[in-house]
mmCIF file of all heavy atoms in Angstrom:
data_model
loop_
_atom_site.group_PDB
_atom_site.id
_atom_site.type_symbol
_atom_site.label_atom_id
_atom_site.label_comp_id
_atom_site.label_asym_id
_atom_site.label_seq_id
_atom_site.Cartn_x
_atom_site.Cartn_y
_atom_site.Cartn_z
ATOM 1 N N LEU O 241 -23.136 10.705 26.277
ATOM 2 C CA LEU O 241 -23.648 11.717 27.202
ATOM 3 C C LEU O 241 -24.944 12.282 26.651
ATOM 4 O O LEU O 241 -25.164 12.253 25.429
ATOM 5 C CB LEU O 241 -22.639 12.863 27.340
ATOM 6 C CG LEU O 241 -21.230 12.532 27.832
ATOM 7 C CD1 LEU O 241 -20.369 13.798 27.842
ATOM 8 C CD2 LEU O 241 -21.286 11.930 29.237
ATOM 9 N N SER O 242 -25.753 12.860 27.516
ATOM 10 C CA SER O 242 -26.967 13.544 27.074
ATOM 11 C C SER O 242 -26.563 14.840 26.358
ATOM 12 O O SER O 242 -25.514 15.415 26.642
ATOM 13 C CB SER O 242 -27.815 13.861 28.310
ATOM 14 O OG SER O 242 -28.957 14.564 27.932
ATOM 15 N N GLY O 243 -27.383 15.259 25.390
ATOM 16 C CA GLY O 243 -27.125 16.534 24.717
ATOM 17 C C GLY O 243 -26.451 16.390 23.361
ATOM 18 O O GLY O 243 -26.184 17.393 22.706
ATOM 19 N N TYR O 244 -26.172 15.153 22.955
ATOM 20 C CA TYR O 244 -25.497 14.898 21.676
ATOM 21 C C TYR O 244 -26.425 14.100 20.766
ATOM 22 O O TYR O 244 -27.004 13.097 21.201
ATOM 23 C CB TYR O 244 -24.192 14.140 21.895
ATOM 24 C CG TYR O 244 -23.154 14.976 22.609
ATOM 25 C CD1 TYR O 244 -23.213 15.140 23.996
ATOM 26 C CD2 TYR O 244 -22.147 15.631 21.912
ATOM 27 C CE1 TYR O 244 -22.294 15.933 24.664
ATOM 28 C CE2 TYR O 244 -21.220 16.421 22.572
ATOM 29 C CZ TYR O 244 -21.303 16.566 23.948
ATOM 30 O OH TYR O 244 -20.384 17.357 24.589
ATOM 31 N N VAL O 245 -26.547 14.538 19.522
ATOM 32 C CA VAL O 245 -27.405 13.802 18.594
ATOM 33 C C VAL O 245 -26.602 12.692 17.924
ATOM 34 O O VAL O 245 -25.401 12.840 17.685
ATOM 35 C CB VAL O 245 -28.062 14.710 17.516
ATOM 36 C CG1 VAL O 245 -29.059 15.656 18.139
ATOM 37 C CG2 VAL O 245 -27.038 15.453 16.695
ATOM 38 N N THR O 246 -27.302 11.570 17.635
ATOM 39 C CA THR O 246 -26.633 10.459 16.963
ATOM 40 C C THR O 246 -26.675 10.721 15.456
ATOM 41 O O THR O 246 -27.644 10.379 14.780
ATOM 42 C CB THR O 246 -27.316 9.118 17.310
ATOM 43 O OG1 THR O 246 -27.430 9.019 18.727
ATOM 44 C CG2 THR O 246 -26.509 7.933 16.801
ATOM 45 N N ALA O 247 -25.658 11.390 14.990
ATOM 46 C CA ALA O 247 -25.559 11.735 13.560
ATOM 47 C C ALA O 247 -24.100 12.035 13.268
ATOM 48 O O ALA O 247 -23.316 12.304 14.198
ATOM 49 C CB ALA O 247 -26.405 12.962 13.264
ATOM 50 N N LEU O 248 -23.754 11.987 11.996
ATOM 51 C CA LEU O 248 -22.366 12.318 11.625
ATOM 52 C C LEU O 248 -22.161 13.829 11.668
ATOM 53 O O LEU O 248 -21.127 14.306 12.118
ATOM 54 C CB LEU O 248 -22.039 11.771 10.235
ATOM 55 C CG LEU O 248 -22.015 10.246 10.110
ATOM 56 C CD1 LEU O 248 -21.700 9.837 8.682
ATOM 57 C CD2 LEU O 248 -20.988 9.634 11.061
ATOM 58 N N VAL O 249 -23.180 14.548 11.177
ATOM 59 C CA VAL O 249 -23.144 16.016 11.227
ATOM 60 C C VAL O 249 -24.539 16.523 11.563
ATOM 61 O O VAL O 249 -25.536 15.862 11.257
ATOM 62 C CB VAL O 249 -22.716 16.651 9.871
ATOM 63 C CG1 VAL O 249 -21.231 16.564 9.646
ATOM 64 C CG2 VAL O 249 -23.475 16.061 8.696
ATOM 65 N N ASP O 250 -24.582 17.679 12.188
ATOM 66 C CA ASP O 250 -25.872 18.294 12.492
ATOM 67 C C ASP O 250 -25.662 19.802 12.556
ATOM 68 O O ASP O 250 -24.666 20.265 13.101
ATOM 69 C CB ASP O 250 -26.396 17.763 13.835
ATOM 70 C CG ASP O 250 -27.842 18.146 14.064
ATOM 71 O OD1 ASP O 250 -28.725 17.360 13.647
ATOM 72 O OD2 ASP O 250 -28.098 19.219 14.624
ATOM 73 N N SER O 251 -26.606 20.531 11.991
ATOM 74 C CA SER O 251 -26.410 21.984 11.928
ATOM 75 C C SER O 251 -26.741 22.665 13.258
ATOM 76 O O SER O 251 -26.295 23.776 13.521
ATOM 77 C CB SER O 251 -27.262 22.572 10.802
ATOM 78 O OG SER O 251 -28.592 22.183 11.005
ATOM 79 N N LYS O 252 -27.521 21.975 14.122
ATOM 80 C CA LYS O 252 -27.982 22.646 15.347
ATOM 81 C C LYS O 252 -27.289 22.167 16.631
ATOM 82 O O LYS O 252 -26.994 22.965 17.509
ATOM 83 C CB LYS O 252 -29.488 22.421 15.515
ATOM 84 C CG LYS O 252 -30.320 23.147 14.474
ATOM 85 C CD LYS O 252 -31.800 23.116 14.862
ATOM 86 C CE LYS O 252 -32.676 23.080 13.631
ATOM 87 N NZ LYS O 252 -33.249 21.768 13.360
ATOM 88 N N SER O 253 -27.067 20.859 16.715
ATOM 89 C CA SER O 253 -26.595 20.307 17.994
ATOM 90 C C SER O 253 -25.250 19.614 17.831
ATOM 91 O O SER O 253 -24.907 19.175 16.731
ATOM 92 C CB SER O 253 -27.588 19.257 18.497
ATOM 93 O OG SER O 253 -28.872 19.771 18.513
ATOM 94 N N PRO O 254 -24.513 19.479 18.941
ATOM 95 C CA PRO O 254 -23.288 18.679 18.862
ATOM 96 C C PRO O 254 -23.631 17.219 18.565
ATOM 97 O O PRO O 254 -24.715 16.753 18.948
ATOM 98 C CB PRO O 254 -22.656 18.831 20.244
ATOM 99 C CG PRO O 254 -23.705 19.366 21.129
ATOM 100 C CD PRO O 254 -24.756 20.021 20.282
ATOM 101 N N THR O 255 -22.758 16.536 17.887
ATOM 102 C CA THR O 255 -23.024 15.137 17.530
ATOM 103 C C THR O 255 -22.158 14.186 18.351
ATOM 104 O O THR O 255 -21.138 14.605 18.923
ATOM 105 C CB THR O 255 -22.725 14.867 16.037
ATOM 106 O OG1 THR O 255 -21.300 14.846 15.870
ATOM 107 C CG2 THR O 255 -23.347 15.900 15.131
ATOM 108 N N VAL O 256 -22.562 12.916 18.328
ATOM 109 C CA VAL O 256 -21.795 11.896 19.056
ATOM 110 C C VAL O 256 -20.366 11.776 18.517
ATOM 111 O O VAL O 256 -19.470 11.345 19.245
ATOM 112 C CB VAL O 256 -22.488 10.518 19.009
ATOM 113 C CG1 VAL O 256 -23.740 10.505 19.856
ATOM 114 C CG2 VAL O 256 -22.798 10.075 17.581
ATOM 115 N N MET O 257 -20.153 12.195 17.269
ATOM 116 C CA MET O 257 -18.806 12.118 16.690
ATOM 117 C C MET O 257 -17.852 13.007 17.493
ATOM 118 O O MET O 257 -16.664 12.725 17.610
ATOM 119 C CB MET O 257 -18.803 12.561 15.220
ATOM 120 C CG MET O 257 -19.668 11.730 14.305
ATOM 121 S SD MET O 257 -19.443 9.953 14.460
ATOM 122 C CE MET O 257 -17.873 9.705 13.668
ATOM 123 N N GLU O 258 -18.415 14.080 18.061
ATOM 124 C CA GLU O 258 -17.595 15.024 18.831
ATOM 125 C C GLU O 258 -17.180 14.445 20.178
ATOM 126 O O GLU O 258 -16.319 15.007 20.859
ATOM 127 C CB GLU O 258 -18.346 16.351 19.012
ATOM 128 C CG GLU O 258 -18.497 17.081 17.692
ATOM 129 C CD GLU O 258 -19.543 18.174 17.723
ATOM 130 O OE1 GLU O 258 -19.562 18.968 18.667
ATOM 131 O OE2 GLU O 258 -20.361 18.216 16.774
ATOM 132 N N LEU O 259 -17.811 13.339 20.575
ATOM 133 C CA LEU O 259 -17.435 12.704 21.844
ATOM 134 C C LEU O 259 -16.276 11.723 21.670
ATOM 135 O O LEU O 259 -15.752 11.197 22.640
ATOM 136 C CB LEU O 259 -18.648 11.964 22.434
ATOM 137 C CG LEU O 259 -19.768 12.855 22.995
ATOM 138 C CD1 LEU O 259 -20.998 12.019 23.305
ATOM 139 C CD2 LEU O 259 -19.293 13.585 24.242
ATOM 140 N N LEU O 260 -15.904 11.475 20.413
ATOM 141 C CA LEU O 260 -14.810 10.518 20.172
ATOM 142 C C LEU O 260 -13.471 11.228 20.361
ATOM 143 O O LEU O 260 -13.224 12.252 19.734
ATOM 144 C CB LEU O 260 -14.920 9.940 18.759
ATOM 145 C CG LEU O 260 -16.218 9.184 18.460
ATOM 146 C CD1 LEU O 260 -16.262 8.727 17.006
ATOM 147 C CD2 LEU O 260 -16.375 7.992 19.394
ATOM 148 N N PRO O 261 -12.618 10.664 21.210
ATOM 149 C CA PRO O 261 -11.334 11.329 21.458
ATOM 150 C C PRO O 261 -10.395 11.274 20.244
ATOM 151 O O PRO O 261 -10.652 10.544 19.286
ATOM 152 C CB PRO O 261 -10.752 10.549 22.633
ATOM 153 C CG PRO O 261 -11.472 9.261 22.656
ATOM 154 C CD PRO O 261 -12.798 9.458 22.012
#
Side-chain angles (χ1 to χ4, degrees):
L241 301 178
S242 178
Y244 292 80
V245 293
T246 309
L248 294 179
V249 282
D250 192 90
S251 55
K252 291 191 212 104
S253 308
T255 74
V256 289
M257 299 311 286
E258 292 164 46
L259 288 170
L260 300 176

